[in-house]
Amino acid sequence: MQTANQALDVTVLGAGRMGSALIRAFRAAGRSVAVWNRDYGKAEALTPIGVQPFKDIGEAVGASSLIVVCVSDYATSSDLIAALAKAGAISGKTVVQLTTGTPAESEDFAQALDRAGARSLDGAIMAYPKQVGENACRILLSGEQAVYDRVAPILNALGRTMFMGARPGAASAADGALLFYSQATAFAYFQSAALLMAQGYDWDGLADLIGGNEITADSLKSWEAAIASGVHTGSEATLDVHYAAFKSIVAAADASGSRHPLMSAVESQFERAVALGHGGDELSGAFETMRPGRAS
Ligand code: NAP
């Protein structure tokens, strides 16, 4: 049903893998949710959980005062917000940007929203879609403290919100640092598993030997199962999505003169995995570029 100008709790722009997870978590917390997605079918598919899908982005934004954006990249979200600003649809709204990007993009985005008469927070989701809504899912947010205080009670439906500071780029900067750490660690795990496999030693207890916190242990176990089966399909985050986020980290490192050989090594692992056709796999698809005897 398409009904504009209703006072729903939140509008979500983007119903991809992560956007859908955010929407489900808001609904699970009892929040009323308006949804817009470029491919309307994905928004409509969420009607069984009680969301209101909109074909028109302006009507979706008109349905609530809190707008959460989660699309592929900042170029996309900036285009969407620019069109809304031109139509006068974003003034007076509070926009929470949960798309991955660089700190510089966050700063630019916050300024564009300020010029359009909107308040904003820039954020980063430190989890996979299946973890959204759990306490283990951290949502890093930066911007005006008063805005954070006002919207945190609603955003708490997504996980554990953490205020990172007033600079709009602060959440994105922390996201890049944590993401590079976890991606580099993932490739280190794939290399370690390949090393054990190539020597003919047990490799499938490695995840338990490494252990780690809840999210790390869960990832390791799912990668172990994917490596064992050779099947890397899933519904969390594609290697392409990881690589896009990684490119933002590299851009921030290059801009700040802090790229070192380790980052370049991880970059070439991503390039190789994508070149060999694993972009649509989950991250563990990169292991196939290292599998002893038949790396592809
Ligand atoms: P995804 O499943 O590929 O979804 C991408 C979303 O962006 C879809 O809603 C897509 O719409 C939309 N989109 C792409 N190009 C567009 C355009 N030109 N105009 C309008 N909409 C467009 O990716 P995802 O995994 O949900 O990731 C979304 C964001 O969340 C990314 O910034 C990612 O880094 C971040 N994130 C993801 C994870 C994760 O584990 N998946 C974790 C943390 C953060 P269509 O459906 O119409 O294509």
Side-chain angles (χ1 to χ4, degrees), residues 75-95:
T76 300
S77 59
S78 297
D79 287 350
L80 295 178
I81 294 297
L84 288 165
K86 201 171 167 195
I90 206 77
S91 175
K93 306 285 181 183
T94 298
V95 178

Side-chain angles (χ1 to χ4, degrees), residues 88-108:
I90 206 77
S91 175
K93 306 285 181 183
T94 298
V95 178
V96 177
Q97 166 67 285
L98 294 180
T99 301
T100 304
T102 66
E105 286 174 319
S106 303
E107 304 277 346
D108 289 347

Side-chain angles (χ1 to χ4, degrees), residues 16-18 37-39 42 71-72 100 125 127-129 236-237:
R17 291 177 179 200
M18 182 49 90
N37 192 65
R38 176 179 60 174
D39 169 2
K42 287 186 193 167
V71 291
S72 301
T100 304
I125 306 158
Y128 283 114
E236 299 305 326

